Amino acid sequence: PADSTTECIGGREDVTPVDGVAPGGLRSALVLVGAYDRRTGCPVLGVINEPFFRRDPLTRRWQGRYHWGVAYGDTRLCSLSP
């Protein structure tokens, strides 16, 4: 599925990233939540969660990370640097 559900269920960890992007396996699973202005249809808020971003070599537990952005009126904020 496009939402990477199969990647989570399969639990594949052996996929090598290509140019820094994992083409499959757990590291390709993402969760996207977005909101839009119903009047204009323009997106105003988005959050991307990467639950399997990196595995701690000592504990072997997965560490996640997230990115977010807001664009509403004159407000333009995000968690990423340009």
Side-chain angles (χ1 to χ4, degrees), residues 1 5-7 12-13 15 18-19 23 25-27 29 31 33 37 40 42 44 46 48-49 58-60 66 77 80:
T5 303
T6 299
E7 309 300 352
R12 293 186 52 209
E13 300 178 41
V15 179
V18 177
D19 295 326
L26 286 177
R27 293 188 67 194
V31 178
V33 176
D37 184 324
T40 65
C42 293
V44 295
I48 297 174
N49 180 29
L58 298 176
T59 65
R60 303 288 295 152
Y66 63 90
L77 301 169
L80 298 174

Side-chain angles (χ1 to χ4, degrees), residues 44-65:
V44 295
L45 170 77
V47 178
I48 297 174
N49 180 29
E50 295 179 84
F52 304 105
F53 171 65
R54 167 180 38 230
R55 194 156 201 187
D56 185 301
L58 298 176
T59 65
R60 303 288 295 152
R61 293 182 66 151
W62 286 100
Q63 298 172 336
R65 72 175 178 176

